[in-house]
Structure formats: C-alpha cells, structure tokens
Amino acid sequence: MSYQLPGPKTRAKLESGRDLMRHGLRYDSAAKASAARGFIPPAQILVGRAEGDFVWDLDGNRYIDFQNGWATNALGNCHPEIIEAVHAAHRRYGYHWEHPLRFELAQKLADIMPAQQLPRFTFEVSGTEAVESAVHLALCYTQRRQIISFTSSFHGAGLGTKVISGYTSEHNLYMEPWSGGVIKAPYPHSENIPANMTPQQYIDFCLWYLESHIPNYIAPADNIAAIIVEPGLAEGGNWIPSLDFIQGIRRICDKHDWLMIVDEVLTGLGRTGRMWGIEHYDVVPDMMVVGKNLSGGIEPCAGVAARDEILGDNPRASAGSTFAGTPAGCAAGLKTLEIFERDNLVLRAQQLTAIAEQRMAGWTERYSIVSEVRCLGLLMGISFAHPDRDQMPDDYDDSWIARTVRNEMLINGVWAICDTEPTVRMYPALNMDKSIFVEALDVVEAAIQTVNKGGKLVGDYPSIPSGVTGF
Ligand SMILES: Cc1ncc(COP(=O)(O)O)c(C=O)c1O
C-alpha cells in the first residue's frame, strides 16, 4: 500500500517552515499556480531516523535510501564505526587546527590519488569551499586571471562557485559582474545536442570550442589558468561524458599549458565504480577536488589534492577556513578509507551496478516516457521525455514527468532525487544489501510503469529538496 504523504507529524513540521524557512512563501504561490493546472502536490518527507540502507520519516514510514544525503553517505546511513571514530576524535581533541589526523589523512589520500601523482592536500570544510580553493590556487600558481568551466555543471553554492557553475541561466542572474574571470563552455550531454548534430559531432564541436574558439576569440591562452570539469555531470543530471571528451580536455590543457582540475566532490570515492571518476578516462588531472563521501556520511571533510609543484610552495594561495580539516572530519575520512579497503567497497559498487544495468536495459524501449538510462557505477540517472512532446503546449516541461516518477517512487518507499532537470537521480550506498537494492529497483520500475500509463502529473512545484520547506 502506498504512503499518504506527508503524514501528520511531517506535515505539521513542514507547515511550521512556511514562516521560518527560505522559500516558505514561494512554495505556496508555486503550489497554487501548479494546482491551477490540475497537478497533484509533491510528496515530501523529513527524516526522523536513519540507519543503514533506510530512512524513516517523522511519521515512521520507511524508505530505501537512493537519495543518500545528496550522494554523501557512501557507507549507508549512520555507519557505527564512523560515528565511533568521530566521537573518539571529539573526546580526544575537541576542536583544534593543529592535530595529527590531518597528516595521516593526507598520506592516505596521496596513496590513492590517480597514478599517485597528486601528493599534496589542502583541507576545506565543504565541496563548495574546496572548489573555490582549487580555482584560487590555480590562478595564483599560473599567475593568470581566467578559468574555463562548463554549462550544466554544478560546483557549489558559495558566491565563487555559483559563478563558476553553469547550472542554468537563471542561476547566473544578478551575478553577471562577478563572473568576469569565468569562461563558460558547452558540456556535451545528450539533452543538449543541437538539432541535426550527432553526439560525436557535438563532442568534436565542444572540444574545438575549447581548443580554438576560446583562445582565438574570448581570451588569450596565456591568460587562462585552468579548465574545471566534473568527470560525470552530477547535479546536472548524472550525465556521463565520453572518453573523447575527457581525454580531449587533457590534451588541450597540455597543448595550451592550462591546468586540468577535476571536481570529484560527487563522483569521487567509489561513486562511479572506481575510486575516482577520472579513472574511467585514463587521465591524470593536475588538481582534484574531493568532498561528500570523504565524510563517511557523518562529519564534513573536503579539500583539494594537487601536483607537488602546485601546492608545495605557493605563497599567494591561501586556503582553509577555521573548521577546515577538523579532527572529527579527518577521523571520519580516515575510517571511511579504512572501510573502503577492508570491505572492498569499490568492487561492491561494481556488483550493484551490474544488477542495475541488467535491470534497466530495455527500459527506453519498454516505456515510452523513458528517454535515456545511465549508470556509471552508482551514478544512476533516468531521463524522461513526453513521447508526443511536439504536440505539448509551449510551456510544457519534461521535468514534470520525472518529478511524477520520483513522487510515485517515494510514496512506494524509495527516496530518490529529482531537481530541475527531467531526470530522476539515484545514489544508493556502495555497500547496499543486494536484495534491498533489487527491491528498490522493483519500485523504480513500477513507478515508471504507473506514470507511463498516464494520469496526473506532479508538475511545476519549485525544485526544493524534499522537506526543506513547504508541505
Ligand atoms: C560536483 C560538485 N562540486 C561541488 C559541490 C559542492 O559541495 P558542497 O555541497 O559540499 O559544498 C557539489 C555538491 O553537490 C557537487 O556535486
């Protein structure tokens, strides 16, 4: 039986957010506009408890967790060993900057970096800060003023990272003067291909744009410090770049003497079925940004790994806020890496991926609303498009279908993400129990089947993460 969401306790809490939280008012107005179209309200939950592969909402309803703290709890929810390691660090050090665990974690990270060629590490609290730190480092190291980033990319929510990200044009509004040093280039994913171009032609175009168009018409090559790229367009919809594209970026960086920064905040530490997403491309970057999973899902820990010469002695490259590399964060990172090795988590992620690939093969043929299914490891995305899109009204949006599928999943006990893009994104823990993983995939397919038959859509409610506000 499906859950009636939100349950009474969740609803009461969410309603209290109307007067307190960001978007408290926006939700109501969007909900009204949406209802006028005949859409049903989206289901939302607040986590009352979390453990292993599951979360429970405030009303006690249980969900298999394919949301995973926005792809952060690589070892599942509330892993007891990480919690113990974090508590032990708290008991022993409280908070101090000058503690030994940061040295130990830096060593462990150096050992597992691609080709062991990024031996130095600088700590930050969040992925956002780490990206900003990486870009600042690149500018100071090269003594150049511009960088290249990609449209559809997401690098964080600080002012610098908002400007570096290319999420949507709306997201850039009012920050135009702040983005002077950032050159945006197109990222070739299949939702973005101009009419009459093949995917390969578009990849070639995107590489040509980087290699020739930017240096010829936008900024001289010797004023560009770096290209920053996600080796898996995560928040942008779990798109998986081609070998050509990522290897092409490395070649162009070498040719123009630009640094290659890979943002592995979401793709790193096993998410893609390799320790690092970039390992799928046989490319060694000059810098790598790490976050999310390094926390073990318990205590923030992030930072930037770099080649020796970039981070060894760069006097202008200041970094690290007060809580960067806390004892507890480093303890979480150390214990996480220990468990990765001991429990062979990358292999376990690959085993789950094989199950998912087999299960999802054929969904695009079987269900007319499914336009594409993607898995790079457990970076899993299902994109949706209306089969008669050309006949839909001008303001029609395929994300309505995706949101409806995600809604259907949630009321049937699987929690996943659908943001602004027409994609349901799924991030199971790397150590999820196989039978629970299969049970969740059953729910995903049943949700697609239901929506494929037609019916009411969830519609254009604002893309608020479940439970932040509204009801
Ligand atoms: C690729 C990427 N970079 C950076 C960030 C920002 O990380 P944080 O939210 O920890 O600041 C995110 C967050 O989702 C991300 O996906």
Side-chain angles (χ1 to χ4, degrees):
M1 218 190 52
S2 305
Y3 298 136
Q4 295 289 320
L5 299 179
K9 288 185 187 154
T10 306
R11 173 178 286 271
K13 188 60 80 185
L14 286 168
E15 280 183 4
S16 74
R18 183 191 275 137
D19 297 330
L20 298 171
M21 309 295 274
R22 179 168 63 102
H23 295 323
L25 298 176
R26 185 175 137 213
Y27 188 90
D28 274 358
S29 57
K32 220 179 267 173
S34 195
R37 291 178 191 270
F39 291 146
I40 54 171
Q44 294 199 61
I45 64 169
L46 290 173
V47 175
R49 185 163 80 81
E51 188 183 323
D53 295 334
F54 302 104
V55 298
W56 289 259
D57 69 15
L58 294 183
D59 296 280
N61 301 314
R62 195 193 79 168
Y63 307 85
I64 300 174
D65 190 4
F66 268 18
Q67 201 262 17
N68 207 249
W70 292 80
T72 295
N73 307 332
L75 314 174
N77 289 287
C78 302
H79 196 287
E81 289 176 82
I82 309 281
I83 291 178
E84 182 42 43
V86 165
H87 282 178
H90 278 311
R91 281 193 297 267
R92 179 161 184 166
Y93 303 103
Y95 174 69
H96 283 286
W97 177 277
E98 300 79 357
H99 64 88
L101 301 184
R102 66 173 73 241
F103 297 86
E104 291 167 30
L105 182 54
Q107 179 64 62
K108 284 265 179 235
L109 287 165
D111 292 344
I112 58 169
M113 281 293 148
Q116 296 189 312
Q117 284 183 32
L118 308 179
R120 291 185 186 274
F121 199 79
T122 179
F123 286 93
E124 299 289 348
V125 180
S126 65
T128 297
E129 284 172 287
V131 168
E132 295 189 359
S133 179
V135 170
H136 182 246
L137 259 168
L139 299 175
C140 294
Y141 175 72
T142 58
Q143 300 184 359
R144 297 172 180 184
R145 290 179 172 76
Q146 288 173 294
I147 61 147
I148 298 171
S149 68
F150 291 96
T151 54
S152 311
S153 66
F154 180 75
H155 296 289
L159 183 57
T161 37
K162 277 181 173 152
V163 159
I164 295 162
S165 299
Y167 212 25
T168 64
S169 55
E170 279 287 319
H171 284 80
N172 292 336
L173 211 57
Y174 312 124
M175 296 187 297
E176 297 86 347
W178 298 82
S179 52
V182 182
I183 301 163
K184 297 269 169 66
Y187 193 110
H189 61 79
S190 58
E191 226 160 55
N192 204 23
I193 302 178
N196 302 324
M197 260 194 186
T198 64
Q200 188 58 49
Q201 283 170 334
Y202 191 47
I203 292 166
D204 293 343
F205 167 81
C206 292
L207 289 171
W208 165 84
Y209 191 90
L210 293 171
E211 183 169 5
S212 305
H213 187 74
I214 290 176
N216 286 339
Y217 293 104
I218 298 177
D222 65 4
N223 196 28
I224 293 172
I227 297 181
I228 180 163
V229 62
E230 289 174 80
L233 201 53
E235 293 286 333
N238 285 2
W239 295 99
I240 300 156
S242 72
L243 198 66
D244 289 17
F245 183 59
I246 297 294
Q247 291 189 343
I249 291 176
R250 179 69 271 182
R251 179 182 59 73
I252 292 164
C253 283
D254 289 341
K255 174 176 164 183
H256 287 315
D257 194 22
W258 299 339
L259 298 175
M260 180 176 183
I261 307 172
V262 289
D263 179 351
E264 295 254 16
V265 168
L266 195 147
T267 51
L269 285 152
R271 172 56 53 202
T272 68
R274 298 275 177 88
M275 185 56 90
W276 308 110
I278 196 68
E279 289 174 3
H280 290 277
Y281 300 93
D282 199 17
V283 153
V284 179
D286 302 297
M287 302 168 79
M288 184 196 281
V289 190
V290 185
K292 289 196 186 259
N293 283 354
L294 192 58
S295 66
I298 302 297
E299 190 72 18
C301 189
V304 184
R307 289 188 189 277
D308 193 38
E309 62 277 18
I310 297 171
L311 210 43
D313 183 15
N314 183 347
R316 287 208 173 85
S318 56
S321 54
T322 302
F323 290 107
T326 58
C330 289
L334 280 164
K335 187 52 86 177
T336 299
L337 295 181
E338 185 188 318
I339 296 173
F340 258 75
E341 207 176 313
R342 183 192 72 198
D343 295 354
N344 229 333
L345 284 191
V346 175
L347 182 68
R348 283 176 71 176
Q350 289 168 6
Q351 290 164 348
L352 293 180
T353 308
I355 295 171
E357 279 173 344
Q358 199 182 17
R359 182 65 192 265
M360 288 155 78
W363 282 6
T364 47
E365 288 87 47
R366 217 170 308 145
Y367 305 114
S368 59
I369 56 171
V370 177
S371 56
E372 201 173 304
V373 168
R374 306 177 285 280
C375 291
L376 185 65
L378 296 174
L379 186 82
M380 297 160 61
I382 309 171
S383 287
F384 296 90
H386 199 290
D388 301 314
R389 196 176 178 173
D390 297 348
Q391 290 155 36
M392 300 306 285
D394 285 351
D395 63 349
Y396 167 76
D397 187 341
D398 278 327
S399 63
W400 298 345
I401 299 181
R403 255 172 244 173
T404 309
V405 171
R406 183 260 182 194
N407 203 69
E408 195 62 28
M409 287 165 60
L410 191 64
I411 62 176
N412 287 293
V414 174
W415 192 24
I417 295 175
C418 177
D419 213 332
T420 50
E421 67 282 350
T423 300
V424 171
R425 291 188 285 136
M426 298 176 288
Y427 301 109
L430 312 188
N431 60 355
M432 186 171 262
D433 183 275
K434 277 186 194 160
S435 64
I436 293 166
F437 187 67
V438 169
E439 190 186 325
L441 292 175
D442 290 344
V443 172
V444 177
E445 184 165 12
I448 293 171
Q449 275 166 353
T450 303
V451 179
N452 204 62
K453 281 188 210 132
K456 282 203 165 191
L457 295 177
V458 164
D460 56 353
Y461 282 82
S463 62
I464 304 167
S466 309
V468 170
T469 186
F471 57 92

